Amino acid sequence: MNILLNGEAYATDAKTLDELCARLGFAEAKIATAVNGNFVAAMARPAVELAPSDEIEIVAPRQGG
Amino acid sequence: MLTLYGQGFSSRLLLGTAQYPSPESLKQAVKASGAEIVTVSLRRESARALTGQGFWALIEELGCRVLPNTAGCRTAKEAIATAQMARELFGTDWIKLEVIANDDTLQPDLFGLVEAAVALSAEGFAVLPYTTEDLSAAERLVAAGCAVLMPWAAPIGSARGLINKDALKMLRAYFPDIPLVIDAGIGTPSHAAEAMELGYDAILLNTAVAKACDPVKMAEAFARAIEAGRLAFEAGPLEPRDMASPSTPVAGTPFFKIDHAS
């Protein structure tokens, strides 16, 4: 299935958002997620099933002003 | 003592964490500034680089309260989702709310800002909005639940200082009881002192320190200027006047003759 991961085309067979994060190596990482513009809390990730063309954002802390 | 959303702070300087020449320089600058609040952001994380993980470790070492921003958001919807991600990521309901209208000026989109402030306040966020000196927008933000306002002095990163001083004075006079933080456009410590002398409660800055030749020394310079400006405000500065007023007593001036006065 093709999705958009952080603005770039990405092919995955992960079924859920939680699975996608784990496969990317983010299982223990400090991240936050959104799907199609809406925030998805960490606890809700296992219940969020991915669909083709979903737009996934995975973000982490960064320098800011 | 500065009080923001019920929390007391002895420093009136809020410092940004971006653009420093090195992580060590950032750490030393924060220390030298005495800042108790630092601003941070969130950005897309790459599974290969894991950039954010190392940065987070550094921030935790600082021991400051973090104030995440929604920098770069162009709509209320983006800002709301970013704030929600930031709340989970940083474990704080404080948010420096930015909704940007224009890439060249980075000026706030006041309409989107108010829309996002209403939604986020309703969700229990402590919203610190990056706004302009506009009074009607400020009123809407306060009505939305913002207990702090953060007007710009000049466009972000422009280092121009208080380009609309009269309007900033008016904003201060109009909201005597709302903490007002100057956010953006400060270039030098004298700009910061000037804002503090007007009665502003605190200064949020980043570029002026991070891009100085010596960020650590500049951080200390800002800390002192902000403290001096605050003291001056509390002391009650003189009103300027057009004509001279002698400071040395006139009575008893030697060689004084009445025709000197004519």
Side-chain angles (χ1 to χ4, degrees):
Chain A
M1 156 172 57
N2 291 311
I3 58 169
L4 212 57
L5 174 61
N6 284 346
E8 289 178 14
Y10 189 80
T12 180
D13 49 11
K15 299 274 189 301
T16 65
L17 180 59
D18 192 52
E19 204 183 321
L20 176 69
C21 291
R23 288 189 188 196
L24 288 167
F26 289 138
E28 305 296 321
K30 196 166 180 67
I31 55 160
T33 52
V35 176
N36 298 326
N38 298 311
F39 167 62
V40 176
M43 281 172 61
R45 282 178 209 146
V48 172
E49 291 181 12
L50 298 183
S53 303
D54 270 351
E55 296 182 14
I56 315 290
E57 297 284 342
I58 301 180
V59 299
R62 203 61 48 90
Q63 295 85 345
Chain B
M1 174 78 79
L2 171 69
T3 303
L4 303 174
Y5 282 101
Q7 284 241 334
F9 301 93
S10 52
S11 167
R12 291 175 180 272
L13 170 56
L14 290 72
L15 196 62
T17 55
Q19 299 182 293
Y20 292 82
S22 69
E24 187 57 29
S25 155
L26 162 61
K27 263 171 34 183
Q28 294 303 321
V30 170
K31 201 173 159 197
S33 75
E36 294 161 283
I37 302 171
V38 294
T39 54
V40 293
S41 74
L42 47 81
R43 287 292 178 260
R44 287 169 167 169
E45 184 76 328
S46 142
R48 280 195 210 99
L50 289 171
T51 315
Q53 312 306 310
F55 174 68
W56 180 243
L58 192 155
I59 289 299
E60 280 192 306
E61 268 182 57
L62 297 175
C64 294
R65 170 179 268 280
V66 294
L67 174 57
N69 68 29
T70 62
C73 290
R74 299 297 299 260
T75 64
K77 184 176 167 36
E78 283 176 19
I80 292 165
T82 302
Q84 290 165 333
M85 290 194 284
R87 175 155 69 179
E88 183 178 80
L89 201 52
F90 295 105
T92 175
D93 52 15
W94 282 32
I95 191 78
K96 172 182 158 177
L97 184 60
E98 295 185 39
V99 182
I100 298 300
N102 178 287
D103 285 336
D104 293 323
T105 61
L106 295 178
Q107 78 180 78
D109 169 2
L110 298 175
F111 306 93
L113 183 67
V114 170
E115 185 187 339
V118 169
L120 290 171
S121 297
E123 285 188 32
F125 280 87
V127 179
L128 294 92
Y130 161 61
T131 184
T132 68
E133 61 278 26
D134 187 274
L135 287 181
S136 56
E139 278 190 313
R140 296 289 184 94
L141 290 167
V142 170
C146 297
V148 178
L149 297 173
M150 303 209 297
W152 65 353
I156 295 172
S158 70
R160 293 183 60 199
L162 280 51
I163 57 174
N164 199 353
K165 191 173 171 179
D166 290 335
L168 288 172
K169 280 168 88 166
M170 210 184 294
L171 188 70
R172 177 70 285 180
Y174 200 74
F175 294 100
D177 302 321
I178 301 272
L180 297 179
V181 181
I182 290 285
D183 177 10
I186 296 294
T188 58
S190 60
H191 295 154
E194 190 180 14
M196 294 306 292
E197 285 169 9
L198 296 182
Y200 275 75
D201 293 279
I203 308 286
L204 195 167
L205 57 90
N206 188 158
T207 313
V209 165
K211 294 296 224 183
C213 294
D214 185 337
V216 180
K217 203 171 266 187
M218 191 59 87
E220 188 180 341
F222 268 106
R224 292 194 201 178
I226 288 166
E227 213 178 311
R230 177 64 192 185
L231 269 176
F233 169 71
E234 287 174 1
L238 283 185
E239 281 300 317
R241 46 184 292 162
D242 290 336
M243 303 304 282
S245 169
S247 46
T248 303
V250 175
T253 304
F255 315 117
F256 180 81
K257 292 195 180 80
I258 203 75
D259 59 349
H260 278 191
S262 64

